Every structure is written in C-alpha cells, then in structure tokens.
Amino acid sequence: MSEKTFIIAIDGPAASGKGTISRRLAKELKFHHLDTGLTYRGVAKMLLDQNLPLDDVTLAEQAARELDLGTMDGNILSAHDIGNAASKVAVIPSVRKILVDAQRAFSAKTPGSVLDGRDIGTVVCPNADVKIYVTAKAETRAERRFKEAQSKGGTQSYDEVLTDIKARDERDSGRKDSPMRQADDAHLLDTSKMDIETAFTAAKALINAALNTK
Ligand code: C5P
C-alpha cells in the first residue's frame, strides 16, 4: 500500500506572491517544493542557449525530455528574458504534457509537496488536498517586480514592467491548453493590499484548516 501524501496546489500570475508563499510553506511543513515555472523556464533556456527558435515543436519537446528537475537553478532561470521565453514554449501542448508528467511524479513524494504554477489546481493535481489561487492587481505586481529589479540594478522602467506583466498574463490566461485560471475549488487570496507576511499568514491558515480535516 502506498503511503499517504498531502498535496498543496498554489497558482497565480507573476509577482502575486505565490512563489514566496510556496517556498515558506514547504519549509515550515518540511514538504517538497516544486516551482513549476522553472520547468518551462528550463526548456526555454536550453533553446535560447543554442539560439534555437522557441516555437519549434520538435526541438522544444526534445528539450523538455532532457530537462532534469533536480538540477534546475532558480537564480539563473529567474532572468526576465527567460520568463518571457518560457511563456512562449508553454503554449506548446506536447511540451506541457512532458513537463506535467514530470510535475505529477514529483507531487507523489511523501510526506507531502507544494507545487506552484498556473495550472496546478486545474490540470497537474486536480485532486490536491488544498488549492490556493494567489493574485493581485497588475499594477501592484508590476510595482513589486519593478522594485525588485531596481534593487538588482535593473534598467526597465515601471511602465515597461507593467506592459510585460500584462502581456504575460494575457498569453498565460488566453492560451488554449491549460490556461491560467482559478480552479473551482481553490481559495482565492488577493494580496493587492497585503504585505508578504500577511499573505503568508492567510495562506498558512487555509493549509492548517485542510491539514486538520485530512
Ligand atoms: O512562474 P514563472 O514566471 O516562473 O513562469 C514562467 C512561465 O511559465 C509563465 O509565464 C507560464 O507561461 C509558464 N508556466 C505555465 N504553467 C505553469 C508554470 C509556469 O504555463 N504551471
């Protein structure tokens, strides 16, 4: 008989706070954590590094098969250009299928896992024990990204960051396969007026309630 696992699905757009919340939840609960955005970023980076087109299905599939979840480097993959490129390879259904299989395998780890992305509650782990959709107004998210980039010496203006955020939201929620959306049974956490501490506390309360009823 297989051991019971507990799966936490966190979805939402870029800079909503979902990444920080997920990392902290996993750390506190001693669960495994997978930032599924890194898998799409990893595929995009392999193509970019070889100057290959991002819309070549065969090459993108090959990169997806070669991706090793264990060696993805969040620091390198967090680059702005890689994020945009990732949302382009993420529209290819066969690439999604390969990555989703790997993500599902990851979610089976004991004693539990936190997966964050765009389609975890709807497609990757529809039977997750608890689902949270973390969001915030595009302007608020752009402000966060802008400040973060500035502290690292970034040169993009606030308006450029906002335009990028809106374009990425549109591509992610408008694509045919697994668009970004709140699962019917997901809790909504709008962090527009929250700092990260308040957002984390709110998420933790939802998880604790689910853990207590398991
Ligand atoms: O979350 P992050 O910004 O790292 O994701 C990069 C891109 O990867 C997203 O804009 C989205 O297009 C894609 N993605 C996805 N499904 C996921 C996670 C990320 O399509 N579960």
Side-chain angles (χ1 to χ4, degrees), residues 162-181:
L162 180 60
T163 304
D164 264 9
I165 287 241
K166 285 184 172 167
R168 190 120 76 90
D169 284 357
E170 233 174 85
R171 202 154 43 225
D172 288 347
S173 51
R175 68 177 174 232
K176 278 212 189 78
D177 186 2
S178 317
M180 169 174 76
R181 71 170 182 86

Side-chain angles (χ1 to χ4, degrees), residues 39-205:
T39 63
Y40 294 92
R41 285 172 182 264
V43 171
K45 181 161 191 309
M46 283 193 225
L47 297 172
L48 290 173
D49 281 352
Q50 300 171 76
N51 272 318
L52 296 171
L54 296 166
D55 59 355
D56 184 310
V57 174
T58 310
L59 292 173
E61 281 174 7
Q62 198 180 326
R65 273 192 221 97
E66 281 170 17
L67 186 79
D68 176 358
L69 264 51
T71 59
M72 298 186 302
D73 185 334
N75 285 325
I76 295 173
L77 294 175
S78 70
H80 177 76
D81 293 352
I82 300 180
N84 277 337
S87 78
K88 292 179 185 161
V89 299
V91 302
I92 306 173
S94 54
V95 167
R96 298 200 71 85
K97 189 178 176 322
I98 294 165
L99 297 181
V100 166
D101 283 349
Q103 294 161 9
R104 279 199 190 122
F106 184 99
S107 75
K109 289 183 179 217
T110 56
S113 56
V114 183
L115 280 81
D116 71 272
R118 304 289 189 289
D119 61 342
I120 309 301
T122 51
V123 175
V124 182
C125 302
N127 297 322
D129 294 278
V130 55
K131 303 178 184 178
I132 307 179
Y133 190 82
V134 188
T135 190
K137 283 197 312 197
E139 288 73 14
T140 313
R141 291 185 285 119
E143 179 93 30
R144 291 175 187 159
R145 267 293 141 85
F146 174 65
K147 284 189 180 148
E148 187 188 316
Q150 282 226 311
S151 71
K152 292 180 189 159
T155 52
Q156 264 201 320
S157 70
Y158 167 80
D159 284 342
E160 285 168 339
V161 175
L162 180 60
T163 304
D164 264 9
I165 287 241
K166 285 184 172 167
R168 190 120 76 90
D169 284 357
E170 233 174 85
R171 202 154 43 225
D172 288 347
S173 51
R175 68 177 174 232
K176 278 212 189 78
D177 186 2
S178 317
M180 169 174 76
R181 71 170 182 86
Q182 181 183 352
D184 295 338
D185 53 350
H187 302 277
L188 179 66
L189 182 60
D190 186 333
T191 67
S192 300
K193 296 198 174 115
M194 295 180 183
D195 60 19
I196 192 63
E197 215 44 53
T198 313
F200 176 72
T201 305
K204 189 74 199 302

